[in-house]
Amino acid sequence: MASAFSPDPARKITSVCVFCGSSAGTDPSYRDAAAELGRALADRGIRLIYGGGNRGMMGALATAAHHAGGEVIGVIPRSLTVVEANNEVIGSVRHVDNMHERKALMSNLCDVFIALPGGYGTLEELLEVSTWAQLNIHQKPVLCLNIDGFYDSIVAWIKRANTDGFVEANKVGIIQFASTVAELMHAMMNFVPTYEPARINWKWNAGERI
């Protein structure tokens, strides 16, 4: 069995959950990177799990993956289908009742979490799955595409939180950052955990596993 700080040869990546904005951002490099990631996943036969929208970063990501022949599954609350997707589907869609169900289903469907640039929702999703990793709720890679330094302030915050005693040194590496899609894909395919999760045994009812 692989140690806590070595690659796991048995790990197989079939599905990736990507968190990103429903807006495009002001810099075309954001949409370009989203589309590049979508194509990269499709080229490797990796299923895309995303928030179900067809606008902004979400739309660029999902459209590129779909056009490249990749499988795309959108997970979206029914109340957001008009706001984020105009009732138009890219690939297939799973409708849920609320945001909590959306995140739980996206997590259950994926092997890896990736965050692209986005707003409040994207940041909340990134930090929640990072917290789940810290608490040993999952053992999945958490990766962040730091396009043009978009997440530099989060990198600095993690370092400050460690320095000031809020994040333990062995938890600093829960989120792995990459500046290009190529670097991100390499980190994902060669993932090595650099942190130690809490020693907590979670008890789950049927269907609750994250």
Side-chain angles (χ1 to χ4, degrees):
M1 185 173 68
S3 72
F5 296 100
S6 63
D8 182 356
R11 181 186 295 274
K12 182 173 177 59
I13 298 172
T14 60
S15 297
V16 168
C17 171
V18 179
F19 302 126
C20 60
S22 57
S23 297
T26 57
D27 191 328
S29 65
Y30 297 142
R31 281 181 58 93
D32 291 346
E36 183 182 353
L37 177 60
R39 290 189 293 270
L41 294 174
D43 288 346
R44 289 163 176 79
I46 298 173
R47 181 186 304 112
L48 169 64
I49 312 298
Y50 84 114
N54 61 18
R55 299 177 177 179
M57 297 282 285
M58 283 193 199
L61 170 76
T63 299
H66 186 60
H67 286 174
E71 183 180 358
V72 176
I73 299 177
V75 181
I76 189 168
R78 292 176 178 84
S79 58
L80 290 182
T81 53
V82 174
V83 177
E84 292 188 353
N86 288 328
N87 288 316
E88 297 178 8
V89 174
I90 300 173
S92 62
V93 64
R94 307 279 183 90
H95 289 105
V96 294
D97 289 330
N98 54 59
M99 298 295 283
H100 299 292
E101 290 183 7
R102 182 194 219 178
K103 288 183 289 186
L105 180 55
M106 291 172 77
S107 177
N108 284 332
L109 290 173
C110 80
D111 305 306
V112 176
F113 298 101
I114 293 175
L116 303 183
Y120 289 128
T122 302
L123 181 59
E124 184 268 339
E125 290 161 337
L126 171 62
L127 294 181
E128 181 161 23
V129 298
S130 301
T131 302
W132 290 349
Q134 176 178 258
L135 294 175
N136 202 26
I137 293 174
H138 72 74
Q139 298 80 42
K140 302 173 183 180
V142 180
L143 307 169
C144 189
L145 185 55
N146 189 19
I147 303 167
D148 293 336
F150 182 85
Y151 282 109
D152 282 356
S153 58
I154 299 301
V155 175
W157 171 78
I158 293 170
K159 292 178 179 177
R160 175 65 183 268
N162 169 243
T163 299
D164 289 1
F166 295 107
V167 173
E168 298 175 37
N170 62 6
K171 306 293 192 301
V172 168
I174 286 176
I175 305 173
Q176 296 193 11
F177 295 87
S179 58
T180 68
V181 171
E183 290 176 6
L184 183 83
M185 296 300 293
H186 182 269
M188 181 180 76
M189 303 307 295
N190 299 277
F191 176 73
V192 178
T194 58
Y195 66 94
E196 295 182 10
R199 297 181 181 276
I200 300 173
N201 272 329
W202 292 93
K203 304 298 183 184
W204 305 96
N205 295 323
E208 289 184 345
R209 180 67 182 168
I210 296 298

